[in-house]
Amino acid sequence: MKKPRAGLPKPTEGELEILHVLWSRDACTVREVHDVLRPSDSTGYTTALKLLQVMHAKGLVKRDDSQRAHVYRAAVSKERTQKRFMLDLVQRVFEGSSSQLVLHALGSQDTSPEELREIRSLLNKLDADQQ
């Protein structure tokens, strides 16, 4: 199993929350991010602002400051971030074994018929690619 590539730092839990908002909405002001995450918390606005500033410095978000209200966009894709966390999890928790991760995940919770079809389809594709 490959190790995660060096480069952008792995987002913290709070940064991931913000990235989820940006991935779902494409671009947001600080106020919009705050309103999605903590709509009733008036003191949390400055926390959202600070987190976005830190994320910008880390390269996790891009900022358009051409208008009065800065607009932020995710600089990393959801898929790339998920892959990075998954590779790290496989290495640290499952000693590099993807199969152990999958077996544990499937045995830990109910899996819908649709999810099982997707998994079978992926396995069939992986089999075909290896032949």
Side-chain angles (χ1 to χ4, degrees), residues 56-94:
H56 181 257
K58 288 180 171 183
L60 295 171
V61 296
K62 295 177 184 175
R63 179 178 63 205
D64 176 1
D65 51 7
S66 63
Q67 300 177 33
R68 188 175 188 285
H70 296 175
V71 176
Y72 290 86
R73 284 186 164 72
V76 293
S77 72
K78 183 176 184 176
E79 294 75 20
R80 181 177 172 195
T81 303
Q82 288 172 332
K83 184 174 183 176
R84 184 163 185 195
F85 271 87
M86 185 58 58
L87 290 172
D88 182 55
L89 179 68
V90 168
Q91 289 300 315
R92 291 186 315 117
V93 179
F94 294 95

Side-chain angles (χ1 to χ4, degrees), residues 79-126:
E79 294 75 20
R80 181 177 172 195
T81 303
Q82 288 172 332
K83 184 174 183 176
R84 184 163 185 195
F85 271 87
M86 185 58 58
L87 290 172
D88 182 55
L89 179 68
V90 168
Q91 289 300 315
R92 291 186 315 117
V93 179
F94 294 95
E95 298 175 340
S97 174
S98 298
S99 62
Q100 287 300 308
L101 169 81
V102 171
L103 291 171
H104 188 76
L106 291 175
S108 299
Q109 61 187 26
D110 291 335
T111 307
S112 73
E114 294 151 9
E115 290 173 316
L116 288 173
R117 276 193 293 279
E118 288 178 34
I119 292 166
R120 280 191 190 95
S121 174
L122 177 59
L123 290 173
N124 290 338
K125 181 185 180 310
L126 291 171

Side-chain angles (χ1 to χ4, degrees), residues 37-68:
L37 295 178
R38 311 274 185 297
S40 61
D41 182 5
S42 62
T43 60
Y45 175 87
T46 54
T47 303
L49 172 62
K50 184 64 179 168
L51 267 173
L52 281 161
Q53 290 170 337
V54 168
M55 291 171 72
H56 181 257
K58 288 180 171 183
L60 295 171
V61 296
K62 295 177 184 175
R63 179 178 63 205
D64 176 1
D65 51 7
S66 63
Q67 300 177 33
R68 188 175 188 285

